[in-house]
Amino acid sequence: MKLAAILIHYGDSEFTRNRLSTLESSAAVSVIVTILHDEFPFQDECPRTKFITAPNNGYGAGINCAMRYLSDKNPDVTHGLILNPDVLVDDAAIQSLIAEHKTSAADCTFPIIKEGKIVIHGYRLNKMGLLRLSEDGAQFYSGACFLVSIEAWKKAGEFNENYFHYFEDIDFCLRLQRAGLRTHLAKNVVLN
């Protein structure tokens, strides 16, 4: 597995700086791509990171930009680790997510995300069509962090750029399912 980590920078430079510090020292990560939707004054501290300035057309558009860059410039990359800069991740968590992904033979693997006291395993639609948190049997997962094969990304199609921020992850999960691709929740990987 050749893994590329992808971040979208907007707003808090310290979150991005901290996440890049972790990724820069990770043995599991071969390539790091950060899409800049805002100024980032710490680029000199990140020699392994490719920074790409792009118009802020939303989270999904930024991820698409990074994936297109990888397809063009790093075609040997097999997987992408997409994560928000405010998600606390270390090398052990990255290694655990990779191990879960391989063991499950999934096309796209999601960790559990904790936001304060809320634990997000995933979501499902209830009988009324409302989105609800779901510990078991989730249909959709948070796009705050996930590991996806480049092949699955291409089969499912890119993020829908009509979603500027929010719900692009739900749409992506639906398209993964419709393409016959397997999603997996790594229950032993919990990120804050």
Side-chain angles (χ1 to χ4, degrees), residues 32-101:
I32 306 164
V33 178
T34 299
I35 303 300
L36 300 176
H37 286 171
D38 201 355
E39 289 189 32
F40 183 68
F42 306 107
Q43 292 182 39
D44 293 342
E45 296 177 10
C46 309
R48 291 183 55 206
T49 301
K50 171 64 178 173
F51 291 97
I52 301 171
T53 300
N56 186 359
N57 294 323
Y59 180 73
I63 300 299
N64 290 344
C65 179
M67 293 297 262
R68 288 181 204 129
Y69 170 82
L70 289 170
S71 291
D72 186 41
K73 302 293 185 186
N74 297 91
D76 55 336
V77 167
T78 61
H79 290 76
L81 173 66
I82 289 93
L83 68 152
N84 288 353
D86 63 344
V87 173
L88 299 177
V89 65
D90 58 19
D91 199 51
I94 294 169
Q95 296 285 0
S96 294
L97 195 61
I98 291 168
E100 280 270 341
H101 184 76

Side-chain angles (χ1 to χ4, degrees), residues 53-161:
T53 300
N56 186 359
N57 294 323
Y59 180 73
I63 300 299
N64 290 344
C65 179
M67 293 297 262
R68 288 181 204 129
Y69 170 82
L70 289 170
S71 291
D72 186 41
K73 302 293 185 186
N74 297 91
D76 55 336
V77 167
T78 61
H79 290 76
L81 173 66
I82 289 93
L83 68 152
N84 288 353
D86 63 344
V87 173
L88 299 177
V89 65
D90 58 19
D91 199 51
I94 294 169
Q95 296 285 0
S96 294
L97 195 61
I98 291 168
E100 280 270 341
H101 184 76
K102 287 179 177 178
T103 301
S104 70
D107 298 294
C108 191
T109 301
F110 299 84
I112 293 172
I113 303 289
K114 284 180 68 177
E115 290 183 2
K117 293 181 181 182
I118 299 171
V119 178
I120 303 170
H121 293 83
Y123 306 94
R124 71 179 302 107
L125 294 174
N126 68 12
K127 292 178 184 179
M128 304 279 297
L130 300 172
L131 198 60
R132 298 288 185 207
L133 289 173
S134 176
E135 190 168 332
D136 292 310
Q139 297 167 296
F140 320 108
Y141 301 95
S142 169
C145 179
F146 62 98
L147 178 64
V148 63
S149 75
I150 301 299
E151 182 180 324
W153 178 269
K154 290 176 180 176
K155 282 183 184 175
E158 299 181 334
F159 272 130
N160 183 338
E161 295 183 15

